[in-house]
Amino acid sequence: MINMIQFLEQNPSVVSLLKENKASLVGVTQVEQKAIVDSFDEDVCLESGFWY
């Protein structure tokens, strides 16, 4: 999983394809994929160590 996230950090175009449902992550459930893609959104905020 860590390697996949590192790859996505280095290849933001793949994140865009995932957001547009033009690609998927093999071996990852839809829920996990949504969580990963959502983590790349700029709107995700971290305050006091808690995600909200």
Side-chain angles (χ1 to χ4, degrees):
M1 182 72 78
I2 291 172
N3 291 338
M4 186 180 316
I5 293 171
Q6 288 174 339
F7 172 83
L8 293 173
E9 288 176 340
Q10 295 170 357
N11 299 284
S13 61
V14 177
V15 176
S16 297
L17 291 173
L18 291 168
K19 288 179 181 180
E20 297 169 2
N21 292 320
K22 294 183 179 179
S24 63
L25 300 173
V26 176
V28 176
T29 67
Q30 287 287 35
V31 173
E32 292 170 332
Q33 181 169 316
K34 182 173 179 354
I36 291 168
V37 170
D38 288 348
S39 71
F40 283 91
D41 284 341
E42 295 176 11
D43 296 337
V44 175
C45 297
L46 179 64
E47 184 175 295
S48 302
F50 296 102
W51 292 97
Y52 66 95

